[in-house]
Amino acid sequence: MRASWLACGMLVAAGASAETLEWDTSTYSQEVTPCDIEASHGDDPYSVAPGVSQQDMDFAGAMAACEAAVEDDPGNPRLRYQLARVYGYSGQGEKAYPHREAAIAADYPQALFVNGYLHFLGINKARKDVCRAGSLFRRSAQYGRLAGQVGFTRYALDGAFAGCDVTIDPEELMVFLEAAEESNSGFYESMLIAMLKKEVAALEGEKK
């Protein structure tokens, strides 16, 4: 077990890297735009309108709305993420790329997780890059994104980031899981979090 754990990534001393970050919405407009109405994601904790699923999205309408919104407010990471989402869903991953990167550069939590997932699988014109995915997953977890907290921990325990310059700290993983536990009330999610906590606790014990 210990050997496989050490191969997971850049292991650090417990507690050396545990950090939580607060996302500041005051740095960009919170005004609801047509882009928000057409292209918000239901799991985005910083969306300002009800989520629209891929199946329910009017791609042409959402694209026009989000292109106009980004033209008016190019520094808004929520809008850049949403325009990238529309392009990605409509099969235009190449056009999504600069907007994905802009949202990542702004540290937008939802974009960090989603783009981590795209790079992890190498889908929708995102190059497969597991190491970058690990860094993005971890960053989203530090910002409190539930999927990042659970996903980063699961992939780290599976050894997905072996050989990557991705910090893996058992204490930080436990911080992520405890925060996820507090913010989640779903039965299946709670069961998964409890299982992951047991695995991480066992690894913490090995390091003592």
Side-chain angles (χ1 to χ4, degrees):
M1 173 69 77
R2 181 174 174 78
S4 64
W5 174 244
L6 289 172
C8 287
M10 190 174 72
L11 184 68
V12 300
S17 66
E19 179 183 16
T20 56
L21 302 171
E22 293 291 333
W23 178 247
D24 184 3
T25 59
S26 70
T27 61
Y28 60 98
S29 174
Q30 298 301 297
E31 179 182 353
V32 179
T33 70
C35 175
D36 295 297
I37 294 169
E38 296 282 350
S40 288
H41 194 296
D43 290 334
D44 182 356
Y46 300 103
S47 65
V48 295
V52 181
S53 69
Q54 181 176 0
Q55 293 79 5
D56 293 335
M57 187 178 291
D58 171 7
F59 294 144
M63 198 176 302
C66 289
E67 286 174 344
V70 167
E71 183 175 357
D72 288 342
D73 188 5
N76 190 316
R78 184 187 72 250
L79 299 177
R80 298 297 289 269
Y81 159 71
Q82 288 169 177
L83 178 55
R85 182 177 185 235
V86 176
Y87 282 145
Y89 280 170
S90 59
Q92 301 182 71
E94 298 94 339
K95 292 182 73 173
Y97 175 78
H99 304 289
R100 289 172 178 167
E101 291 299 312
I104 290 170
D107 251 7
Y108 191 62
Q110 175 71 2
L112 295 172
F113 174 76
V114 169
N115 287 287
Y117 186 72
L118 296 179
H119 283 296
F120 190 78
L121 296 179
I123 58 175
N124 206 263
K125 304 299 182 180
R127 77 181 187 282
K128 187 174 179 63
D129 186 340
V130 172
C131 293
R132 189 182 193 205
S135 295
L136 293 173
F137 284 147
R138 178 173 178 259
R139 190 72 171 171
S140 74
Q142 289 177 311
Y143 273 112
R145 182 69 175 85
L146 176 63
Q149 293 166 334
V150 175
F152 177 70
T153 302
R154 177 69 275 165
Y155 291 137
L157 291 171
D158 286 345
F161 309 126
C164 296
D165 186 16
V166 177
T167 299
I168 298 174
D169 174 2
E171 185 171 310
E172 182 181 64
L173 296 181
M174 189 62 78
V175 168
F176 291 159
L177 293 175
E178 288 175 347
E181 190 172 49
E182 288 182 10
S183 66
N184 172 75
S185 59
F187 176 76
Y188 296 110
E189 293 87 347
S190 297
M191 293 291 285
L192 173 59
I193 292 167
M195 291 171 62
L196 293 175
K197 285 181 69 176
K198 285 185 178 180
E199 290 189 51
V200 173
L203 292 168
E204 285 184 311
E206 288 183 13
K207 287 183 61 61
K208 292 179 180 178

Short mmCIF file of all heavy atoms in Angstrom, two decimals, residues 84-139:
data_model
loop_
_atom_site.label_atom_id
_atom_site.label_comp_id
_atom_site.label_asym_id
_atom_site.label_seq_id
_atom_site.Cartn_x
_atom_site.Cartn_y
_atom_site.Cartn_z
N ALA A 84 -17.43 28.81 -23.55
CA ALA A 84 -16.68 27.59 -23.84
C ALA A 84 -17.58 26.37 -23.73
O ALA A 84 -17.47 25.43 -24.54
CB ALA A 84 -15.50 27.46 -22.87
N ARG A 85 -18.47 26.38 -22.77
CA ARG A 85 -19.41 25.26 -22.60
C ARG A 85 -20.29 25.10 -23.83
O ARG A 85 -20.49 23.98 -24.33
CB ARG A 85 -20.26 25.51 -21.35
CG ARG A 85 -21.25 24.40 -21.04
CD ARG A 85 -22.01 24.67 -19.75
NE ARG A 85 -22.85 23.53 -19.43
CZ ARG A 85 -24.16 23.58 -19.22
NH1 ARG A 85 -24.80 24.74 -19.28
NH2 ARG A 85 -24.84 22.48 -18.94
N VAL A 86 -20.81 26.20 -24.34
CA VAL A 86 -21.67 26.14 -25.52
C VAL A 86 -20.89 25.62 -26.72
O VAL A 86 -21.36 24.73 -27.45
CB VAL A 86 -22.27 27.53 -25.84
CG1 VAL A 86 -23.08 27.47 -27.13
CG2 VAL A 86 -23.14 28.01 -24.69
N TYR A 87 -19.70 26.15 -26.94
CA TYR A 87 -18.88 25.68 -28.06
C TYR A 87 -18.58 24.19 -27.92
O TYR A 87 -18.65 23.43 -28.88
CB TYR A 87 -17.57 26.46 -28.13
CG TYR A 87 -17.67 27.85 -28.72
CD1 TYR A 87 -16.87 28.88 -28.23
CD2 TYR A 87 -18.52 28.13 -29.78
CE1 TYR A 87 -16.93 30.16 -28.77
CE2 TYR A 87 -18.59 29.41 -30.32
CZ TYR A 87 -17.79 30.41 -29.82
OH TYR A 87 -17.85 31.68 -30.36
N GLY A 88 -18.22 23.78 -26.71
CA GLY A 88 -17.89 22.37 -26.50
C GLY A 88 -19.07 21.46 -26.77
O GLY A 88 -18.94 20.43 -27.45
N TYR A 89 -20.24 21.83 -26.28
CA TYR A 89 -21.43 21.01 -26.48
C TYR A 89 -21.84 20.96 -27.94
O TYR A 89 -22.45 19.98 -28.38
CB TYR A 89 -22.59 21.56 -25.66
CG TYR A 89 -22.58 21.20 -24.19
CD1 TYR A 89 -23.46 21.80 -23.30
CD2 TYR A 89 -21.69 20.26 -23.68
CE1 TYR A 89 -23.48 21.48 -21.96
CE2 TYR A 89 -21.69 19.93 -22.34
CZ TYR A 89 -22.59 20.54 -21.48
OH TYR A 89 -22.59 20.22 -20.15
N SER A 90 -21.54 22.00 -28.68
CA SER A 90 -21.96 22.05 -30.09
C SER A 90 -20.88 21.50 -31.02
O SER A 90 -20.96 21.69 -32.24
CB SER A 90 -22.33 23.48 -30.48
OG SER A 90 -21.23 24.36 -30.30
N GLY A 91 -19.87 20.83 -30.45
CA GLY A 91 -18.85 20.19 -31.27
C GLY A 91 -17.78 21.12 -31.81
O GLY A 91 -17.12 20.80 -32.80
N GLN A 92 -17.59 22.26 -31.15
CA GLN A 92 -16.59 23.23 -31.60
C GLN A 92 -15.53 23.44 -30.52
O GLN A 92 -15.31 24.54 -30.04
CB GLN A 92 -17.27 24.55 -31.95
CG GLN A 92 -18.33 24.44 -33.03
CD GLN A 92 -18.95 25.77 -33.37
OE1 GLN A 92 -18.32 26.64 -33.98
NE2 GLN A 92 -20.20 25.94 -32.98
N GLY A 93 -14.88 22.34 -30.17
CA GLY A 93 -13.88 22.39 -29.12
C GLY A 93 -12.74 23.35 -29.41
O GLY A 93 -12.19 23.96 -28.50
N GLU A 94 -12.38 23.50 -30.70
CA GLU A 94 -11.29 24.42 -31.04
C GLU A 94 -11.67 25.86 -30.68
O GLU A 94 -10.84 26.61 -30.17
CB GLU A 94 -10.97 24.34 -32.53
CG GLU A 94 -10.48 22.98 -33.00
CD GLU A 94 -11.62 22.11 -33.53
OE1 GLU A 94 -12.79 22.38 -33.18
OE2 GLU A 94 -11.32 21.16 -34.28
N LYS A 95 -12.91 26.23 -30.95
CA LYS A 95 -13.35 27.59 -30.62
C LYS A 95 -13.49 27.76 -29.11
O LYS A 95 -13.37 28.88 -28.59
CB LYS A 95 -14.67 27.89 -31.31
CG LYS A 95 -14.57 27.99 -32.82
CD LYS A 95 -15.90 28.35 -33.47
CE LYS A 95 -16.28 29.80 -33.23
NZ LYS A 95 -17.49 30.19 -34.01
N ALA A 96 -13.73 26.67 -28.41
CA ALA A 96 -13.86 26.75 -26.95
C ALA A 96 -12.52 27.02 -26.28
O ALA A 96 -12.47 27.62 -25.20
CB ALA A 96 -14.44 25.44 -26.41
N TYR A 97 -11.43 26.60 -26.93
CA TYR A 97 -10.11 26.60 -26.29
C TYR A 97 -9.72 27.93 -25.64
O TYR A 97 -9.38 27.96 -24.44
CB TYR A 97 -9.04 26.15 -27.29
CG TYR A 97 -7.64 26.23 -26.73
CD1 TYR A 97 -7.15 25.26 -25.87
CD2 TYR A 97 -6.80 27.31 -27.04
CE1 TYR A 97 -5.88 25.34 -25.33
CE2 TYR A 97 -5.53 27.40 -26.51
CZ TYR A 97 -5.07 26.42 -25.66
OH TYR A 97 -3.81 26.51 -25.12
N PRO A 98 -9.73 29.06 -26.36
CA PRO A 98 -9.27 30.30 -25.71
C PRO A 98 -10.14 30.72 -24.54
O PRO A 98 -9.64 31.32 -23.57
CB PRO A 98 -9.31 31.33 -26.84
CG PRO A 98 -10.25 30.77 -27.85
CD PRO A 98 -10.10 29.29 -27.77
N HIS A 99 -11.41 30.38 -24.59
CA HIS A 99 -12.31 30.75 -23.49
C HIS A 99 -12.12 29.81 -22.30
O HIS A 99 -12.20 30.24 -21.14
CB HIS A 99 -13.75 30.74 -24.00
CG HIS A 99 -13.94 31.64 -25.18
ND1 HIS A 99 -13.92 33.02 -25.08
CD2 HIS A 99 -14.10 31.36 -26.51
CE1 HIS A 99 -14.08 33.55 -26.28
NE2 HIS A 99 -14.19 32.56 -27.16
N ARG A 100 -11.84 28.55 -22.58
CA ARG A 100 -11.48 27.64 -21.50
C ARG A 100 -10.23 28.13 -20.78
O ARG A 100 -10.18 28.16 -19.54
CB ARG A 100 -11.23 26.23 -22.06
CG ARG A 100 -12.46 25.50 -22.55
CD ARG A 100 -12.08 24.20 -23.27
NE ARG A 100 -13.27 23.47 -23.71
CZ ARG A 100 -13.24 22.47 -24.57
NH1 ARG A 100 -12.08 22.07 -25.08
NH2 ARG A 100 -14.36 21.85 -24.91
N GLU A 101 -9.23 28.50 -21.57
CA GLU A 101 -7.97 28.94 -20.97
C GLU A 101 -8.14 30.24 -20.20
O GLU A 101 -7.51 30.44 -19.15
CB GLU A 101 -6.91 29.10 -22.06
CG GLU A 101 -6.46 27.78 -22.67
CD GLU A 101 -5.84 26.84 -21.65
OE1 GLU A 101 -4.97 27.29 -20.87
OE2 GLU A 101 -6.24 25.66 -21.62
N ALA A 102 -8.99 31.13 -20.69
CA ALA A 102 -9.23 32.39 -19.98
C ALA A 102 -9.90 32.13 -18.63
O ALA A 102 -9.54 32.75 -17.61
CB ALA A 102 -10.11 33.31 -20.83
N ALA A 103 -10.86 31.22 -18.61
CA ALA A 103 -11.54 30.90 -17.35
C ALA A 103 -10.60 30.19 -16.38
O ALA A 103 -10.66 30.42 -15.16
CB ALA A 103 -12.77 30.04 -17.63
N ILE A 104 -9.72 29.34 -16.90
CA ILE A 104 -8.73 28.68 -16.05
C ILE A 104 -7.76 29.71 -15.48
O ILE A 104 -7.45 29.68 -14.28
CB ILE A 104 -7.95 27.61 -16.86
CG1 ILE A 104 -8.86 26.42 -17.19
CG2 ILE A 104 -6.72 27.14 -16.08
CD1 ILE A 104 -8.24 25.44 -18.17
N ALA A 105 -7.29 30.61 -16.33
CA ALA A 105 -6.34 31.63 -15.88
C ALA A 105 -6.94 32.50 -14.79
O ALA A 105 -6.23 32.98 -13.90
CB ALA A 105 -5.90 32.49 -17.06
N ALA A 106 -8.26 32.68 -14.84
CA ALA A 106 -8.95 33.48 -13.82
C ALA A 106 -9.24 32.67 -12.56
O ALA A 106 -9.75 33.21 -11.58
CB ALA A 106 -10.25 34.03 -14.39
N ASP A 107 -8.93 31.36 -12.58
CA ASP A 107 -9.16 30.47 -11.44
C ASP A 107 -10.65 30.21 -11.19
O ASP A 107 -11.03 29.89 -10.06
CB ASP A 107 -8.53 31.03 -10.16
CG ASP A 107 -7.31 30.24 -9.72
OD1 ASP A 107 -6.86 29.35 -10.46
OD2 ASP A 107 -6.79 30.53 -8.62
N TYR A 108 -11.48 30.33 -12.22
CA TYR A 108 -12.91 30.13 -12.01
C TYR A 108 -13.13 28.67 -11.59
O TYR A 108 -12.81 27.74 -12.34
CB TYR A 108 -13.68 30.45 -13.29
CG TYR A 108 -15.18 30.52 -13.09
CD1 TYR A 108 -15.74 31.46 -12.23
CD2 TYR A 108 -16.03 29.63 -13.74
CE1 TYR A 108 -17.11 31.53 -12.04
CE2 TYR A 108 -17.41 29.69 -13.55
CZ TYR A 108 -17.94 30.65 -12.70
OH TYR A 108 -19.30 30.71 -12.50
N PRO A 109 -13.66 28.42 -10.40
CA PRO A 109 -13.70 27.06 -9.86
C PRO A 109 -14.37 26.02 -10.75
O PRO A 109 -13.86 24.90 -10.90
CB PRO A 109 -14.45 27.24 -8.53
CG PRO A 109 -14.10 28.63 -8.11
CD PRO A 109 -14.10 29.42 -9.39
N GLN A 110 -15.50 26.37 -11.35
CA GLN A 110 -16.18 25.41 -12.21
C GLN A 110 -15.33 25.07 -13.43
O GLN A 110 -15.25 23.91 -13.84
CB GLN A 110 -17.54 25.97 -12.65
CG GLN A 110 -18.31 25.11 -13.64
CD GLN A 110 -18.86 23.83 -13.04
OE1 GLN A 110 -18.71 23.56 -11.85
NE2 GLN A 110 -19.51 23.03 -13.87
N ALA A 111 -14.68 26.07 -13.99
CA ALA A 111 -13.83 25.83 -15.16
C ALA A 111 -12.62 24.97 -14.80
O ALA A 111 -12.17 24.15 -15.60
CB ALA A 111 -13.36 27.16 -15.75
N LEU A 112 -12.09 25.15 -13.60
CA LEU A 112 -10.95 24.34 -13.17
C LEU A 112 -11.32 22.86 -13.17
O LEU A 112 -10.59 22.02 -13.71
CB LEU A 112 -10.50 24.77 -11.77
CG LEU A 112 -9.93 26.18 -11.63
CD1 LEU A 112 -9.70 26.51 -10.16
CD2 LEU A 112 -8.64 26.33 -12.42
N PHE A 113 -12.47 22.54 -12.59
CA PHE A 113 -12.85 21.13 -12.54
C PHE A 113 -13.20 20.59 -13.93
O PHE A 113 -12.72 19.53 -14.34
CB PHE A 113 -14.04 20.89 -11.61
CG PHE A 113 -14.51 19.47 -11.69
CD1 PHE A 113 -13.79 18.46 -11.06
CD2 PHE A 113 -15.61 19.12 -12.46
CE1 PHE A 113 -14.17 17.13 -11.19
CE2 PHE A 113 -15.99 17.79 -12.59
CZ PHE A 113 -15.28 16.80 -11.95
N VAL A 114 -14.04 21.30 -14.66
CA VAL A 114 -14.51 20.81 -15.96
C VAL A 114 -13.34 20.61 -16.92
O VAL A 114 -13.24 19.57 -17.60
CB VAL A 114 -15.55 21.76 -16.57
CG1 VAL A 114 -15.83 21.40 -18.02
CG2 VAL A 114 -16.84 21.72 -15.76
N ASN A 115 -12.43 21.56 -16.97
CA ASN A 115 -11.30 21.42 -17.88
C ASN A 115 -10.32 20.37 -17.40
O ASN A 115 -9.66 19.71 -18.21
CB ASN A 115 -10.63 22.78 -18.09
CG ASN A 115 -11.48 23.68 -18.96
OD1 ASN A 115 -11.59 23.48 -20.16
ND2 ASN A 115 -12.12 24.67 -18.36
N GLY A 116 -10.23 20.19 -16.09
CA GLY A 116 -9.46 19.06 -15.58
C GLY A 116 -10.01 17.74 -16.10
O GLY A 116 -9.26 16.86 -16.54
N TYR A 117 -11.32 17.63 -16.09
CA TYR A 117 -11.97 16.40 -16.58
C TYR A 117 -11.73 16.21 -18.07
O TYR A 117 -11.44 15.09 -18.53
CB TYR A 117 -13.46 16.48 -16.28
CG TYR A 117 -14.22 15.22 -16.59
CD1 TYR A 117 -14.09 14.10 -15.79
CD2 TYR A 117 -15.08 15.16 -17.69
CE1 TYR A 117 -14.79 12.93 -16.07
CE2 TYR A 117 -15.79 14.00 -17.97
CZ TYR A 117 -15.64 12.89 -17.16
OH TYR A 117 -16.33 11.74 -17.45
N LEU A 118 -11.82 17.29 -18.84
CA LEU A 118 -11.58 17.18 -20.28
C LEU A 118 -10.15 16.73 -20.57
O LEU A 118 -9.91 15.87 -21.43
CB LEU A 118 -11.84 18.53 -20.97
CG LEU A 118 -13.28 19.06 -20.92
CD1 LEU A 118 -13.37 20.42 -21.61
CD2 LEU A 118 -14.26 18.08 -21.56
N HIS A 119 -9.18 17.29 -19.83
CA HIS A 119 -7.78 16.90 -20.04
C HIS A 119 -7.52 15.49 -19.51
O HIS A 119 -6.69 14.76 -20.06
CB HIS A 119 -6.84 17.89 -19.36
CG HIS A 119 -6.67 19.17 -20.12
ND1 HIS A 119 -6.09 19.22 -21.37
CD2 HIS A 119 -7.02 20.45 -19.82
CE1 HIS A 119 -6.07 20.48 -21.80
NE2 HIS A 119 -6.64 21.24 -20.88
N PHE A 120 -8.21 15.11 -18.46
CA PHE A 120 -8.02 13.77 -17.89
C PHE A 120 -8.39 12.70 -18.91
O PHE A 120 -7.71 11.68 -19.06
CB PHE A 120 -8.86 13.62 -16.63
CG PHE A 120 -8.56 12.38 -15.84
CD1 PHE A 120 -7.44 12.31 -15.02
CD2 PHE A 120 -9.40 11.28 -15.90
CE1 PHE A 120 -7.16 11.16 -14.29
CE2 PHE A 120 -9.13 10.13 -15.18
CZ PHE A 120 -8.01 10.07 -14.37
N LEU A 121 -9.48 12.95 -19.64
CA LEU A 121 -9.96 11.98 -20.63
C LEU A 121 -9.46 12.27 -22.04
O LEU A 121 -9.52 11.40 -22.91
CB LEU A 121 -11.49 11.96 -20.63
CG LEU A 121 -12.15 11.48 -19.34
CD1 LEU A 121 -13.67 11.54 -19.48
CD2 LEU A 121 -11.71 10.08 -18.97
N GLY A 122 -9.00 13.50 -22.28
CA GLY A 122 -8.57 13.87 -23.62
C GLY A 122 -9.74 13.94 -24.59
O GLY A 122 -9.67 13.40 -25.70
N ILE A 123 -10.80 14.62 -24.19
CA ILE A 123 -12.00 14.69 -25.02
C ILE A 123 -12.32 16.13 -25.40
O ILE A 123 -11.78 17.07 -24.83
CB ILE A 123 -13.22 14.07 -24.30
CG1 ILE A 123 -13.49 14.77 -22.96
CG2 ILE A 123 -13.01 12.57 -24.10
CD1 ILE A 123 -14.76 14.28 -22.26
N ASN A 124 -13.21 16.29 -26.36
CA ASN A 124 -13.71 17.59 -26.80
C ASN A 124 -12.57 18.53 -27.19
O ASN A 124 -12.55 19.69 -26.81
CB ASN A 124 -14.60 18.21 -25.72
CG ASN A 124 -15.61 19.18 -26.30
OD1 ASN A 124 -15.38 20.38 -26.31
ND2 ASN A 124 -16.72 18.67 -26.78
N LYS A 125 -11.62 18.00 -27.93
CA LYS A 125 -10.48 18.75 -28.47
C LYS A 125 -9.50 19.21 -27.40
O LYS A 125 -8.60 20.01 -27.69
CB LYS A 125 -10.95 19.96 -29.28
CG LYS A 125 -11.90 19.62 -30.42
CD LYS A 125 -11.25 18.70 -31.44
CE LYS A 125 -12.20 18.41 -32.59
NZ LYS A 125 -11.60 17.51 -33.60
N ALA A 126 -9.65 18.73 -26.18
CA ALA A 126 -8.66 19.01 -25.14
C ALA A 126 -7.62 17.88 -25.18
O ALA A 126 -7.99 16.71 -25.21
CB ALA A 126 -9.32 19.06 -23.77
N ARG A 127 -6.35 18.24 -25.20
CA ARG A 127 -5.33 17.19 -25.26
C ARG A 127 -5.33 16.39 -23.96
O ARG A 127 -5.57 16.94 -22.88
CB ARG A 127 -3.95 17.79 -25.51
CG ARG A 127 -3.31 18.43 -24.31
CD ARG A 127 -1.94 19.03 -24.62
NE ARG A 127 -1.28 19.50 -23.43
CZ ARG A 127 -1.54 20.63 -22.80
NH1 ARG A 127 -2.47 21.43 -23.28
NH2 ARG A 127 -0.88 20.97 -21.71
N LYS A 128 -5.06 15.11 -24.07
CA LYS A 128 -4.99 14.27 -22.88
C LYS A 128 -3.74 14.64 -22.10
O LYS A 128 -2.62 14.54 -22.62
CB LYS A 128 -4.98 12.80 -23.25
CG LYS A 128 -5.07 11.86 -22.04
CD LYS A 128 -5.20 10.42 -22.48
CE LYS A 128 -5.28 9.47 -21.28
NZ LYS A 128 -6.47 9.70 -20.45
N ASP A 129 -3.91 15.08 -20.87
CA ASP A 129 -2.80 15.51 -20.03
C ASP A 129 -3.21 15.27 -18.58
O ASP A 129 -3.79 16.13 -17.93
CB ASP A 129 -2.49 16.99 -20.28
CG ASP A 129 -1.24 17.47 -19.54
OD1 ASP A 129 -0.84 16.81 -18.56
OD2 ASP A 129 -0.69 18.51 -19.94
N VAL A 130 -2.91 14.08 -18.10
CA VAL A 130 -3.35 13.68 -16.76
C VAL A 130 -2.71 14.56 -15.69
O VAL A 130 -3.35 14.88 -14.67
CB VAL A 130 -3.02 12.20 -16.52
CG1 VAL A 130 -3.28 11.81 -15.07
CG2 VAL A 130 -3.86 11.32 -17.44
N CYS A 131 -1.48 14.97 -15.92
CA CYS A 131 -0.81 15.80 -14.91
C CYS A 131 -1.47 17.17 -14.80
O CYS A 131 -1.68 17.68 -13.69
CB CYS A 131 0.67 15.94 -15.25
SG CYS A 131 1.59 14.38 -15.10
N ARG A 132 -1.79 17.77 -15.94
CA ARG A 132 -2.50 19.06 -15.86
C ARG A 132 -3.87 18.86 -15.23
O ARG A 132 -4.32 19.69 -14.44
CB ARG A 132 -2.64 19.69 -17.25
CG ARG A 132 -3.18 21.12 -17.13
CD ARG A 132 -3.41 21.82 -18.44
NE ARG A 132 -3.60 23.25 -18.20
CZ ARG A 132 -4.27 24.05 -19.00
NH1 ARG A 132 -4.81 23.60 -20.13
NH2 ARG A 132 -4.41 25.33 -18.70
N ALA A 133 -4.51 17.77 -15.58
CA ALA A 133 -5.82 17.47 -14.99
C ALA A 133 -5.72 17.41 -13.47
O ALA A 133 -6.56 17.97 -12.75
CB ALA A 133 -6.35 16.15 -15.53
N GLY A 134 -4.68 16.76 -12.96
CA GLY A 134 -4.51 16.66 -11.51
C GLY A 134 -4.37 18.01 -10.85
O GLY A 134 -4.97 18.27 -9.80
N SER A 135 -3.58 18.89 -11.47
CA SER A 135 -3.40 20.23 -10.91
C SER A 135 -4.71 21.01 -10.92
O SER A 135 -5.03 21.72 -9.96
CB SER A 135 -2.34 20.99 -11.71
OG SER A 135 -1.07 20.37 -11.57
N LEU A 136 -5.49 20.87 -12.00
CA LEU A 136 -6.76 21.59 -12.09
C LEU A 136 -7.78 21.02 -11.11
O LEU A 136 -8.52 21.78 -10.46
CB LEU A 136 -7.29 21.53 -13.52
CG LEU A 136 -6.47 22.28 -14.57
CD1 LEU A 136 -7.02 22.01 -15.97
CD2 LEU A 136 -6.47 23.78 -14.29
N PHE A 137 -7.85 19.70 -11.00
CA PHE A 137 -8.75 19.09 -10.03
C PHE A 137 -8.43 19.58 -8.61
O PHE A 137 -9.33 19.94 -7.84
CB PHE A 137 -8.61 17.56 -10.06
CG PHE A 137 -9.28 16.88 -11.21
CD1 PHE A 137 -8.72 15.72 -11.75
CD2 PHE A 137 -10.46 17.35 -11.76
CE1 PHE A 137 -9.32 15.06 -12.80
CE2 PHE A 137 -11.07 16.69 -12.82
CZ PHE A 137 -10.50 15.54 -13.34
N ARG A 138 -7.14 19.56 -8.27
CA ARG A 138 -6.75 19.96 -6.92
C ARG A 138 -7.10 21.43 -6.66
O ARG A 138 -7.60 21.78 -5.58
CB ARG A 138 -5.26 19.73 -6.71
CG ARG A 138 -4.76 20.18 -5.34
CD ARG A 138 -3.31 19.77 -5.10
NE ARG A 138 -2.87 20.25 -3.80
CZ ARG A 138 -2.11 21.33 -3.63
NH1 ARG A 138 -1.69 22.03 -4.67
NH2 ARG A 138 -1.74 21.70 -2.41
N ARG A 139 -6.86 22.27 -7.64
CA ARG A 139 -7.16 23.69 -7.47
C ARG A 139 -8.67 23.90 -7.27
O ARG A 139 -9.09 24.70 -6.42
CB ARG A 139 -6.68 24.46 -8.70
CG ARG A 139 -6.72 25.99 -8.55
CD ARG A 139 -5.65 26.47 -7.63
NE ARG A 139 -5.54 27.93 -7.66
CZ ARG A 139 -4.80 28.64 -6.82
NH1 ARG A 139 -4.09 28.03 -5.90
NH2 ARG A 139 -4.75 29.95 -6.91
#
